[in-house]
Amino acid sequence: MKTNNCTWEKELKKVVFGMGKTKTKQSNIGSMDKFKQVFVSKVLILFLLLVLQVAVIFLFYAILKEYIFSWRVFALLLSVFAVLYIINKKENPAYKLAWVVVILAAPLVGGILYIELAGNRTRLKFIEEALENHLNTFKYMPKDDENQKEIKELSKSASAQATYISKTAGYPVYKNTGIKYFPLGEDNFATLIEELEKAKHFIFMEYFIIKQGIMWEKVLVVLKKKAKEGVDVRLIYDDLGCAMWLPSRFIKEMTGYGIKVVPFNPAHLIVSTRHNNRDHRKITVIDGYVGFTGGINLADEYINIGSKFGHWKDTGIMLKGEAVWNLTLMFLQTWKMLTKEEEDYSKFTPMKYKKTPIYSDGYVLPYGDTPVDDEIVGENIYLNMINKAKHYVYIMTPYLIIDNEMITALTLAAKSGIDVKIITPGVPDKKLVYMVTQSYYYELISAGVKIYQYTPGFVHAKTVVMDDTVATVGTINFDYRSLYLHFECGVWMFNSGTIYEIKEDFKHTLTLCDEVTLEEIQKTSGLKRLGQSLLKLAAPLL
């Protein structure tokens, strides 16, 4: 599918932003050109600190090995105990295997490296604080026994999924909630701006990426206006996710506009695997009864302006009604963890400012996932849907870097006659990650899973739909980072008309894809296959 990007972008500016032929007004933060001149990447700094940290470990060993024989014995024993600890730890086998390979490859420093990075006290403190906030928030969740009972009468399969999320993950299921599905980021964004303009009491926004450009400028204009009107405007952004896109004065400038802003998990001088735990959520809550989530960050490529990877396919969900409370509490949970502020949550409930009933579109269950508890909620929801499907499972994901459990579920479903289709990008945003994604194709396709690549560009959507009855849209990719390391969220739906819209969007997207065949995979060069194998082994640590 070929498009004229320049013409398309001009039309989008006219229709969505009302810009006509006028020149885009520059943000008060400064032009991008000036920003690039003064920008020092936090990612680069963090990488250099990591290299320095590892170098110190090797230097320390090099010095001591010349003078202390017992050092070698101590280092080897430490590595042995580290391997035993990793093997017996309750963790994903692929992640454990990757660390064991690292330690065995360099046994004299591997154990120290693991303790320094994975057992760092700053990471342990972070996990403790995050888990405490995570658990404390659930006392504000309402009971959903009646809704669970109704779902069970309609479908035992859906009931099992809803019960898992509610009882194990802590998020209740709701009715009295309208759902709107957006098959493209630009559709989602136009509605987001409309709803932000209506805010009268509070706006909560939590995003992995905020990048200066047309999209963020438009949002910022509304946020500044609302803050001036006395609306409680709060913003959480991921420090590393935004490291390449926001200047160091960002917090100061936002505060000057009356916008409360905090970075998630900022980079520190001591590098640990804590920095792997990112806030990958995309949440907007407006006055408690309007909520947005999905794959869409606040950056121009998500609305197909200036995308370097062809057409950017993304999806989003807007909720109106009682179910927004789950998204609100997710935000407040993170806000308290970062700011330590105590406040009355009752002033943020869905019906505090919305007195009229909301149209109910089936059953809705917004859920969150964190790396600080013992539940891999996101993966288990996906596995539940795949394992309980009777007719079909359709998946859209930008990355397909999965563990043995997911491979088994997908291949077993396909071998059992279930129509399993997966759409991945045709144009990658990260070439090495794309190589790893493609390394899984042969095993899946051989088992009957059908894989398609989106030829117009990049797929960033994270949607799963099964049997016309259940679907989920959210932020969770089919990769190790989303499933095991990131703070994520999504919306599970049952018996909603929106499910048919998600299915139809998948089928339409399929017409723009090329199916991957075994013949194509077998043409892959031996050198590339070797590279894929090595990357696949290291994937859990990337």
Side-chain angles (χ1 to χ4, degrees), residues 52 57 70 109 136 203 206 247 467 497 541:
L52 179 62
I57 293 173
S70 59
V109 294
N136 287 342
I203 296 172
E206 181 177 351
D467 293 353
L541 301 180

Side-chain angles (χ1 to χ4, degrees), residues 14 57 67 95-96 111 134 137 145 187 194 210 212 228 261 264 276 283 315 323 333 344 387 449 454 459 494 509 536:
K14 291 178 183 179
I57 293 173
Y67 303 100
Y95 186 77
K96 293 195 288 187
H134 178 68
T137 304
D145 295 341
D187 300 329
E194 290 176 8
I210 299 174
Q212 294 184 98
K228 192 173 182 180
V261 57
F264 180 90
N276 266 331
I283 294 175
T315 58
Q333 175 189 92
D344 179 14
N387 291 331
V449 177
Y454 182 65
V459 169
F494 168 65
T509 306
K536 198 172 180 179

Side-chain angles (χ1 to χ4, degrees), residues 115-399:
I115 292 171
E116 176 63 19
L117 296 179
N120 186 281
R121 291 188 66 181
T122 62
R123 178 177 185 266
L124 298 178
K125 182 181 178 183
F126 170 78
I127 291 175
E128 182 181 330
E129 292 177 351
L131 183 59
E132 182 181 357
N133 279 281
H134 178 68
L135 296 175
N136 287 342
T137 304
F138 292 130
K139 64 185 178 184
Y140 298 101
M141 296 294 187
K143 299 293 183 181
D144 64 351
D145 295 341
E146 190 60 36
N147 292 337
Q148 292 283 359
K149 182 179 178 181
E150 292 177 12
I151 294 175
K152 190 171 186 179
E153 291 174 355
L154 294 170
S155 167
K156 290 184 179 180
S157 172
S159 174
Q161 296 176 49
T163 299
Y164 166 76
I165 304 172
S166 181
K167 303 301 182 185
T168 308
Y171 296 94
V173 63
Y174 300 83
K175 295 192 297 185
N176 304 321
T177 304
I179 313 171
K180 185 173 179 61
Y181 173 71
F182 301 100
L184 289 172
E186 44 268 38
D187 300 329
N188 183 102
F189 182 55
T191 305
L192 174 65
I193 293 297
E194 290 176 8
E195 295 297 332
L196 286 173
E197 292 279 8
K198 298 175 186 176
K200 296 184 182 299
H201 304 283
F202 63 89
I203 296 172
F204 296 159
M205 303 188 81
E206 181 177 351
Y207 283 85
F208 179 60
I209 292 175
I210 299 174
K211 186 188 298 187
Q212 294 184 98
I214 294 172
M215 188 181 190
W216 171 240
E217 178 69 18
K218 187 70 175 180
V219 170
L220 183 57
V221 167
V222 181
L223 297 185
K224 287 162 62 176
K225 182 175 74 171
K226 290 300 172 180
K228 192 173 182 180
E229 292 173 0
V231 174
D232 181 4
V233 181
R234 305 187 194 182
L235 176 65
I236 298 172
Y237 68 93
D238 187 83
D239 192 53
L240 284 183
C242 297
M244 295 180 64
W245 316 117
L246 296 180
S248 57
R249 61 184 180 277
F250 180 75
I251 294 178
K252 183 177 180 180
E253 293 213 7
M254 293 303 105
T255 304
Y257 299 141
I259 299 170
K260 302 172 187 175
V261 57
V262 290
F264 180 90
N265 196 3
H268 292 282
L269 292 178
I270 298 177
V271 181
S272 78
T273 50
R274 160 184 174 166
H275 293 108
N276 266 331
N277 302 132
R278 308 316 315 171
D279 186 358
H280 196 243
R281 292 172 178 170
K282 293 92 180 170
I283 294 175
T284 292
V285 174
I286 302 164
D287 290 347
Y289 60 86
V290 179
F292 290 82
T293 191
I296 304 156
N297 282 298
L298 301 179
D300 286 355
E301 58 265 31
Y302 293 85
I303 56 173
N304 278 293
I305 293 180
S307 172
K308 299 178 182 178
F309 312 107
H311 185 265
W312 192 286
K313 166 66 177 175
D314 218 329
T315 58
I317 284 281
M318 178 178 70
L319 305 178
K320 286 191 175 183
E322 294 180 4
V324 177
W325 184 234
N326 285 13
L327 293 176
T328 305
L329 286 178
M330 283 180 222
F331 177 91
L332 291 171
Q333 175 189 92
T334 308
W335 185 266
K336 183 181 178 183
M337 181 180 74
L338 299 175
T339 66
K340 309 296 187 289
E341 294 177 2
E342 297 284 347
E343 54 189 324
D344 179 14
Y345 287 178
S346 65
K347 61 184 178 181
F348 305 119
T349 56
M351 307 315 290
K352 175 74 174 179
Y353 304 109
K354 182 71 173 179
K355 304 301 181 182
T356 56
I358 299 290
Y359 167 73
S360 181
D361 185 16
Y363 298 85
V364 191
L365 203 170
Y367 59 90
D369 191 8
T370 81
V372 299
D373 57 15
D374 292 327
E375 282 298 319
I376 47 174
V377 175
E379 182 171 39
N380 285 341
I381 290 172
Y382 289 161
L383 288 172
N384 250 325
M385 294 177 69
I386 296 165
N387 291 331
K388 295 184 182 301
K390 294 181 179 179
H391 305 288
Y392 74 83
V393 177
Y394 296 158
I395 298 167
M396 271 197 277
T397 178
Y399 315 115

